[in-house]
Amino acid sequence: MRYIIIGAGAVGGVIGGRLAGSGHEVVLVARGAHFESLRDHGLRLRVPEGELTHRLPVVDGPAGLGELRPDDVLVLAVKTQDSTAALQTWGPVPVTGGGTAAERLPLVCAQNGVESQRLALRRFRRVYGVCVWLPSTYVEPGVVSAAGHPLTGILHLGRHPHGADETARLIAADLEKSHFEAPVVADVARWQYAKLLGNLGNSLEAVTGPVDGEAAAALFRRVRAEGAAVLDAAGIAYASAEEQQAVRGDKVTLVPLDGAPRGGGSSWQSLTRGTGTIEADYLNGEIVLLGRLHGVPTPLNELLQHLANTFARERRAPGSMPVEELVRLADEAAGTAGAA
């Protein structure tokens, strides 16, 4: 199979680079300065064993490929706020022998949250979800890093909305030859919702900095508890912390990488790059949506969603709000919700 990595940033670039390093055929899709650097200098992947350079085909859209092949796998790795545009672009692309990508090819959503695969299923017949446990960083144009050791990441994979099939098993086998563990599960959403609860801290980290002090950690526990209450009210199953730890163990331990500091997660990186957008609507916003549907107040997640979007829109520096200020705003929001 050939892997078309739509969005070769931190997650997509690492997955593409690792697949290429184990001998699989890979095409990278990127934009702007990142596209130009990948085209001119190759993908530079910084990992515990050193910096690896992969000279791979790179395009800025489907026009650079012409028709797709029947053995192509589309890996959607853009941020969720960019999913609709990517799906509209790639869905109608012709496939050799007849039909379109949306009709014939598997689409693998390697993203945070749960919304992209729902968006994809509106257009693509064969959609697969991935629970992405992959600490990675977009360092600069053309350069991505992943500090995990001995594995680069753990990628639970399954058919959306449920089930597993031979395509999932073939993709997983390729990933497992490429420094990943890739369990094929029939209930991938259960793992994704568990990951979503952890990702509720992405906005907190983006706004106030690393969640390493007691005040920030205590606030995150409140935010996560709010999310868990919403999932319980909605009847949505999610893997427990104990089950996640049993699977992950010490398989993905972060090690220092020369020239590739890890300042924060995906939302932090969006603010650092000044993209003007952030994924909070599909992380904290997912909890807010479910809370409204099921009558559960979500003032803390609503606050973080609002602040993260404001920081992105106004291009504020990540971590620039004192945690004490955020705690004060959170207490006010929770008090107002309680009074209502």
Side-chain angles (χ1 to χ4, degrees):
M1 296 184 291
R2 180 176 68 167
Y3 291 89
I4 313 294
I5 310 296
I6 304 171
V11 168
V14 171
I15 291 175
R18 282 308 204 185
L19 284 168
S22 60
H24 299 289
E25 192 174 359
V26 174
V27 176
L28 303 178
V29 182
R31 298 177 297 180
H34 191 45
F35 162 76
E36 293 172 0
S37 184
L38 292 170
R39 178 196 61 198
D40 297 341
H41 307 292
L43 172 69
R44 294 163 57 194
L45 174 60
R46 294 177 182 169
V47 287
E49 60 263 40
E51 181 171 295
L52 310 174
T53 299
H54 298 286
R55 295 279 184 171
L56 302 172
V58 57
V59 298
D60 59 2
L65 286 173
E67 286 190 343
L68 294 171
R69 298 181 349 199
D71 64 340
D72 281 339
V73 175
L74 305 182
V75 179
L76 187 64
V78 299
K79 295 290 198 305
T80 302
Q81 62 268 28
D82 298 320
S83 290
T84 296
L87 293 166
Q88 290 173 339
T89 297
W90 287 88
V93 179
V95 178
T96 300
T100 66
E103 294 167 335
R104 294 188 59 191
L105 300 183
L107 179 86
V108 179
C109 297
Q111 300 159 285
N112 285 333
V114 296
E115 181 63 19
S116 273
Q117 54 212 22
R118 295 194 294 229
L119 294 171
L121 205 59
R122 296 175 187 272
R123 296 177 170 84
F124 282 76
R125 291 177 180 171
R126 299 166 60 197
V127 176
Y128 298 80
V130 178
C131 178
V132 180
W133 185 258
L134 171 53
S136 55
T137 301
Y138 174 96
V139 180
E140 61 185 64
V143 184
V144 297
S145 70
H149 177 82
L151 293 176
T152 297
I154 299 176
L155 307 173
H156 284 77
L157 171 70
R159 188 81 181 252
H160 179 76
H162 50 74
D165 59 16
E166 184 61 19
T167 298
R169 286 184 279 272
L170 289 171
I171 294 169
D174 287 349
L175 290 169
E176 294 208 334
K177 297 172 186 173
S178 309
H179 294 267
F180 296 104
E181 186 171 288
V184 177
V185 293
D187 57 350
V188 68
R190 196 170 67 89
W191 291 91
Q192 291 175 308
Y193 276 106
K195 175 80 177 339
L196 172 65
L197 291 177
N199 285 145
L200 298 180
N202 286 24
S203 294
L204 195 161
E205 177 190 59
V207 170
T208 68
V211 184
D212 52 12
E214 180 51 35
L219 179 56
F220 172 65
R221 289 193 291 269
R222 293 168 61 191
V223 171
R224 188 188 185 284
E226 191 178 88
V230 166
L231 295 186
D232 292 341
I236 294 173
Y238 52 93
S240 68
E242 293 76 18
E243 187 177 2
Q244 294 178 78
Q245 181 56 36
V247 169
R248 292 168 181 158
D250 296 324
K251 297 173 184 176
V252 185
T253 300
L254 301 186
V255 300
L257 297 179
D258 291 339
R262 180 170 169 80
S266 55
S267 296
W268 169 284
Q269 292 178 47
S270 291
L271 293 184
T272 299
R273 294 171 62 188
T275 61
T277 65
I278 201 165
E279 60 192 339
D281 285 346
Y282 305 100
L283 301 178
N284 307 93
E286 181 71 22
I287 296 302
V288 172
L289 170 61
L290 289 171
R292 290 170 180 166
L293 290 173
H294 296 278
V296 180
T298 58
L300 302 183
N301 280 280
E302 190 170 345
L303 172 66
L304 286 175
Q305 179 187 7
H306 167 73
L307 288 174
N309 280 318
T310 300
F311 268 55
R313 184 175 59 254
E314 298 179 357
R315 289 178 168 77
R316 297 190 197 176
S320 55
M321 174 177 282
V323 67
E324 295 79 11
E325 173 67 7
L326 180 56
V327 170
R328 183 186 67 77
L329 292 173
D331 289 341
E332 289 180 358
T336 300

